[in-house]
């Protein structure tokens, strides 16, 4: 358990328990599962059980990007803004993003965290040809990129990923053991 002490402008120290790596990874897997389910369902509604011929795929690429890629790309940013520092996975696991000054992060901080997610999340290309192999490739690439993220979280004193370091935020437990 990593304890985070944040000094406020009133010279009061707030104590927070940093979210541990297993809890963060589980929240990430919940969000990842939500996105995979969204991906599969949206592809099914667009294309049915089989892929259409290449000419139809090319004509639907813009719709595919709009309906699939854009929501997947914006999921973490929008959910953290609307749910006050939480995604569905974070909410289920009782963790939240806060600013290092103890307040809720501002939109700029959420945006910086989200920009750094680009290095961790290959789902920008949800419009790619859908097949079981392509979905498996997305999952494998995401897990491979996750190794770097996990390494950074494990070696930073407050369990921060690169986006947290850049945005001056930290992920904390909302229900503490102390």
């Amino acid at each position: 358990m990593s304890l985070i002490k944040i000094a406020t402008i009133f010279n009061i120290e707030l104590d927070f328990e940093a979210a541990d790596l297993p809890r963060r990874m589980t929240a990430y897997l919940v969000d990842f599962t939500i996105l995979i389910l969204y991906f599969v369902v949206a592809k099914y509604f667009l294309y049915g059980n089989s892929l259409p011929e290449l000419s139809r795929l090319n004509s639907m690429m813009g719709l595919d990007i709009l309906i699939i890629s854009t929501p997947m790309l914006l999921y973490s940013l929008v959910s953290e803004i609307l749910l006050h520092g939480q995604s569905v996975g974070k909410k289920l696991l009782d963790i939240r993003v806060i600013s290092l000054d103890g307040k809720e992060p501002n939109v700029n901080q959420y945006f910086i965290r989200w920009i750094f997610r680009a290095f961790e999340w290959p789902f920008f290309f949800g419009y790619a040809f859908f097949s079981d192999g392509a979905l498996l490739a997305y999952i494998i690439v995401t897990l491979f990129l996750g190794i770097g993220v996990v390494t950074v979280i494990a070696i930073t004193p407050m369990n921060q990923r690169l986006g947290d370091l850049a945005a001056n935020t930290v992920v904390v437990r909302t229900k503490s053991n102390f």
Side-chain angles (χ1 to χ4, degrees):
M1 168 177 75
S2 177
L3 196 61
I4 301 168
K5 293 188 178 291
I6 297 176
T8 67
I9 58 173
F10 301 109
N11 291 326
I12 299 171
E13 276 192 354
L14 301 176
D15 291 337
F16 293 97
E17 183 180 347
D20 58 348
L21 188 57
R23 187 172 295 272
R24 287 186 72 161
M25 286 178 56
T26 305
Y28 177 86
L29 288 174
V30 168
D31 292 330
F32 188 68
T33 302
I34 289 169
L35 288 174
I36 288 174
L37 290 173
Y38 176 78
F39 179 80
V40 170
V41 169
K43 286 287 187 181
Y44 178 79
F45 280 117
L46 280 178
Y47 303 116
N49 284 335
S50 62
L51 285 175
E53 64 278 353
L54 187 59
S55 62
R56 184 165 170 242
L57 276 175
N58 287 335
S59 69
M60 293 182 70
M61 189 171 292
L63 184 62
D64 201 315
I65 291 170
L66 182 67
I67 291 175
I68 298 173
S69 295
T70 303
M72 291 178 78
L73 179 66
L74 296 175
Y75 170 79
S76 62
L77 175 65
V78 172
S79 64
E80 285 183 357
I81 291 171
L82 295 179
L83 297 174
H84 307 286
Q86 294 180 304
S87 62
V88 173
K90 286 183 182 86
K91 195 165 198 64
L92 288 174
L93 285 137
D94 298 321
I95 59 178
R96 168 184 311 273
V97 178
I98 64 168
S99 180
L100 285 179
D101 62 5
K103 300 176 185 172
E104 180 178 341
N106 59 42
V107 174
N108 291 336
Q109 287 173 300
Y110 286 129
F111 184 75
I112 291 169
R113 282 177 47 83
W114 176 74
I115 288 292
F116 276 84
R117 185 153 319 255
F119 303 110
E120 306 164 4
W121 206 271
F123 274 113
F124 293 116
F125 307 107
Y127 60 85
F129 292 83
F130 182 74
S131 68
D132 292 340
L135 182 58
L136 183 60
Y138 282 134
I139 292 170
I140 290 170
V141 168
T142 301
L143 291 174
F144 178 74
L145 293 171
I147 293 169
V149 176
V150 167
T151 302
V152 172
I153 291 171
I155 64 173
T156 56
M158 292 189 281
N159 299 343
Q160 295 170 290
R161 63 179 189 82
L162 289 177
D164 291 317
L165 293 169
N168 291 320
T169 58
V170 65
V171 179
V172 297
R173 292 197 53 187
T174 57
K175 295 180 181 172
S176 185
N177 291 333
F178 56 90

